[in-house]
Amino acid sequence: MKLEKFSIAAGIVLILLLAVLIVWQADIVGVSKGGLEKDARKRQNIENGWEVAQAVNEDICAMLFYDTDKADCTYSIYLTREGMSYGYFFGQGGSDAYMTEGVKGVIFENKGIALLSMNHDRVSRIEAGNSEIPVDPEKPFVVVLPIDCGEITIYDAQENIVTLYDSYTGI
């Protein structure tokens, strides 16, 4: 009787372990919203002393990490997945000269648009369709917009239009 109960319990534990292993290998569990910055720092070896500008919505998390002198930066973009999955999954990251010198827009077909910049152009506001987004011209920024946000126009502190460099990922 005892051996039978032990065998049943061992079988249940084995099935649970197998289920966890299958879920883990299927890569359907991503990073929670609260753990994104920590995961990006670890994944890309970003120093804890670097600042971060971050924007997140239900589909995209975009982060721009930069040193205190604002001379160097690294970006990370995480995306949610369609279907049966949880959390955000690393999409892309690294360094990009357009983010350092200007404003870079990364377009994800079904998810939205991430705007990232070290803000050397001193951007003060972004118009996207009928929305206006204020930006601190003294700080690097990240903005996440829906794919159907309309025309995007970026202005510096003197109300000059700033060029947007964009890339289409097709994701």
Side-chain angles (χ1 to χ4, degrees):
M1 184 67 131
K2 260 185 166 179
L3 184 59
E4 194 174 296
K5 286 183 182 181
F6 177 76
S7 295
I8 292 172
I12 291 172
V13 168
L14 186 61
I15 290 170
L16 288 174
L17 286 174
L18 186 59
V20 168
L21 183 63
I22 289 170
V23 167
W24 185 40
Q25 289 296 321
D27 201 24
I28 61 173
V29 178
V31 180
S32 69
K33 191 181 278 190
L36 288 166
E37 181 180 339
K38 182 179 178 182
D39 188 76
R41 286 183 186 275
K42 182 178 177 183
R43 174 183 295 275
Q44 294 180 264
N45 298 319
I46 299 169
E47 297 177 30
N48 286 332
W50 279 28
E51 298 289 323
V52 63
Q54 177 178 348
V56 63
N57 66 17
E58 64 278 350
D59 292 318
I60 301 173
C61 174
M63 295 172 276
L64 183 63
F65 297 91
Y66 55 94
D67 63 2
T68 54
D69 298 332
K70 298 179 187 171
D72 196 12
C73 67
T74 299
Y75 78 99
S76 295
I77 297 178
Y78 286 72
L79 304 167
T80 58
R81 291 185 180 163
E82 302 297 324
M84 191 172 153
S85 67
Y86 167 78
Y88 294 79
F89 297 84
F90 182 76
Q92 63 180 336
S95 59
D96 189 307
Y98 290 116
M99 291 174 197
T100 303
E101 299 300 320
V103 180
K104 174 76 177 242
V106 185
I107 302 166
F108 299 96
E109 183 178 280
N110 298 323
K111 303 287 184 182
I113 304 165
L115 304 177
L116 305 100
S117 176
M118 288 297 290
N119 210 1
H120 292 300
D121 291 324
R122 298 181 38 83
V123 170
S124 63
R125 69 185 173 98
I126 299 168
E127 289 182 359
N130 295 327
S131 300
E132 185 172 306
I133 303 157
V135 176
D136 184 340
E138 302 298 321
K139 295 183 178 179
F141 69 88
V142 175
V143 174
V144 174
L145 300 168
I147 196 69
D148 60 353
C149 67
E151 185 177 338
I152 300 170
T153 309
I154 303 169
Y155 296 93
D156 67 12
Q158 287 75 40
E159 291 298 307
N160 298 308
I161 294 178
V162 175
T163 301
L164 171 64
Y165 300 97
D166 60 351
S167 65
Y168 177 77
T169 66
I171 295 174

